[in-house]
Amino acid sequence: MEKEITEPGFVLQKNGKPNPGWSRKMLLKYDRKHIHASPFRIKEWDWYQIQNDHLCLQFTIGHASYAGQIDVMLFDFSTGEKIFEESRLLVLPFNRLHMPRNAEQDGRLAYDGNGILLEYRTSGNVRTIDCRWRDVESHIVLTHRQPDSLVICIPFDENPYDFYYNEKINCMTGSGFIRKGNREWTFDEKNSFGLLDWGRGVWPFHNEWYWSNGAGYIDGKIFGFNFGSGFGNNDTATENIVFYDGRSYKLGRTDFSADTGDYMKPWHIRDREGRVDLTLSPSFDRTTATKLLWIDNCTHQVYGCFTGTVVLSPEKTIYVDRLYSFAEHAVNNW
């Protein structure tokens, strides 16, 4: 029942209801003026990550209209050490962050104020992230190595005007550095991969989801995946896809099996067609909890190594052996 979007259009119809479906490029135009909801309910974010086999660096610019966040975090998931985090909460930012309407167009998104600069620049398939924040300085370059990404526009059963428009761009090789004081950490393009999670929408106050994303080299070729479950109505679109050697392979629904009483136990991800069978062996549970005004969010983003199999076709099976990445479980009220 999934609908692939292959022609340009709009995220929202004239009546304000979403045009649901999925695509390999950002074909639907997002415009806040088309939203049939209170400005207080609009949520927008650009979240970047670069990681290798032990270090992970994350950047956030985003808001839920009545509250926003600028954040940079570095941690070592092989040892479970959170090295540092700088974070600034914004009260009533609404549209002052000027979040871009398209994740793929060239442009600049930046927060510059109060002694903080966090800047994203997009030029073709290259994305540059620069940060200066007290004694922190970083410069990261990400290059998208696949022609496709994963874009979804999904509705919600609770309200016909609610929607989620999202693009995941992974399979980006990355390089650069981050310094704090006299310490420096570097990322080499040979073993470092980047990810963009770009989200826009309006959805119910309470929501819950599972999500996993990863990339690495298998047989000298770039392999990547994005799996998700539990968020919105997935009848017309799911966010389950695999990338390998320049091609993308769309999948149907997936199921996550995790012990929510002990997130450090192994996780299992399987699709309902028997093509995906992956196990995550955790090494670090990066738990984040946010309480501000009426926001009450908690996310367990669990890092470790994946092993298992992915069937691309009857003739081709990918054997995944110690690919380092994450899976997460989120329960949010915002």
Side-chain angles (χ1 to χ4, degrees):
M1 294 177 61
E2 290 194 54
K3 174 186 175 183
E4 182 177 3
I5 298 168
T6 58
E7 299 292 335
F10 291 90
V11 172
L12 300 176
Q13 305 172 41
K14 291 183 179 180
N15 61 9
K17 296 180 180 180
N19 283 311
W22 69 275
S23 60
R24 293 178 169 89
K25 297 286 185 183
M26 185 159 276
L27 297 175
L28 301 184
K29 182 179 180 181
Y30 169 75
D31 192 334
R32 293 169 59 97
K33 296 178 182 178
H34 298 164
I35 296 175
H36 286 215
S38 164
F40 283 92
R41 298 188 62 215
I42 299 173
K43 301 173 179 65
E44 302 175 324
W45 69 78
D46 286 35
W47 179 87
Y48 279 96
Q49 169 179 287
I50 181 173
Q51 71 162 84
N52 53 30
D53 60 1
H54 66 288
L55 281 178
C56 184
L57 175 61
Q58 298 177 343
F59 303 92
T60 303
I61 299 177
H63 72 85
S65 292
Y66 50 83
Q69 185 177 32
I70 311 300
D71 189 273
V72 56
M73 178 188 294
L74 177 69
F75 56 92
D76 186 328
F77 57 84
S78 67
T79 63
E81 177 192 5
K82 178 179 172 181
I83 299 172
F84 75 86
E85 180 178 18
E86 298 286 356
S87 185
R88 180 176 179 84
L89 295 177
L90 310 176
V91 178
L92 301 177
F94 289 97
N95 195 32
R96 289 188 288 111
L97 291 173
H98 304 292
M99 307 294 290
R101 298 182 181 183
N102 189 300
E104 298 173 6
Q105 290 181 347
D106 291 358
R108 175 181 182 265
L109 170 63
Y111 178 84
D112 189 355
N114 302 292
I116 301 167
L117 172 65
L118 179 54
E119 177 185 62
Y120 304 156
R121 287 189 178 274
T122 301
S123 179
N125 66 340
V126 177
R127 296 166 186 270
T128 305
I129 305 169
D130 287 292
C131 181
R132 293 192 296 275
W133 194 328
R134 287 192 279 266
D135 63 342
V136 172
E137 179 181 6
S138 70
H139 177 72
I140 300 294
V141 178
L142 304 176
T143 304
H144 193 202
R145 302 295 183 179
Q146 294 283 345
D148 298 338
S149 59
L150 188 283
V151 185
I152 58 170
C153 181
I154 58 173
F156 291 82
D157 294 332
E158 294 87 340
N159 187 320
Y161 300 102
D162 287 359
F163 70 98
Y164 178 46
Y165 192 42
N166 173 252
E167 180 165 19
K168 303 290 198 315
I169 300 178
N170 65 338
C171 297
M172 292 190 287
T173 57
S175 63
F177 70 87
I178 184 160
R179 301 189 190 104
K180 180 174 176 61
N182 59 3
R183 300 180 68 189
E184 179 175 296
W185 301 263
T186 60
F187 293 87
D188 191 315
E189 195 173 55
K190 295 178 181 179
N191 66 351
S192 301
F193 286 88
L195 163 66
L196 168 62
D197 178 20
W198 186 98
R200 306 289 186 268
V202 174
W203 50 81
F205 178 71
H206 174 77
N207 47 80
E208 179 179 4
W209 68 75
Y210 286 90
W211 173 42
S212 182
N213 187 289
Y217 288 104
I218 294 180
D219 297 330
K221 300 172 182 177
I222 294 179
F223 165 81
F225 61 81
N226 189 85
F227 303 128
S229 175
F231 191 59
N233 184 324
N234 297 134
D235 287 343
T236 53
T238 68
E239 57 179 312
N240 301 308
I241 196 167
V242 170
F243 305 95
Y244 184 68
D245 192 23
R247 296 184 62 185
S248 56
Y249 302 83
K250 187 68 175 67
L251 302 172
R253 293 177 184 266
T254 58
D255 296 306
F256 287 66
S257 176
D259 186 340
T260 56
D262 184 356
Y263 286 94
M264 295 300 290
K265 290 183 178 179
W267 293 45
H268 301 282
I269 303 174
R270 300 179 178 91
D271 78 313
R272 299 183 185 181
E273 299 171 350
R275 298 175 63 186
V276 173
D277 188 351
L278 293 177
T279 298
L280 169 64
S281 299
S283 60
F284 179 52
D285 176 5
R286 188 186 79 85
T287 303
T288 57
T290 302
K291 290 190 176 184
L292 175 68
L293 302 176
W294 48 85
I295 296 175
D296 186 3
N297 295 346
C298 184
T299 301
H300 292 266
Q301 196 171 43
V302 178
Y303 285 76
C305 65
F306 284 87
T307 57
T309 57
V310 176
V311 178
L312 301 182
S313 70
E315 298 77 29
K316 182 63 175 179
T317 297
I318 297 295
Y319 296 93
V320 180
D321 181 23
R322 299 189 64 80
L323 186 151
Y324 292 91
S325 197
F326 71 91
E328 75 174 28
H329 177 224
V331 179
N332 291 341
N333 298 283
W334 64 324

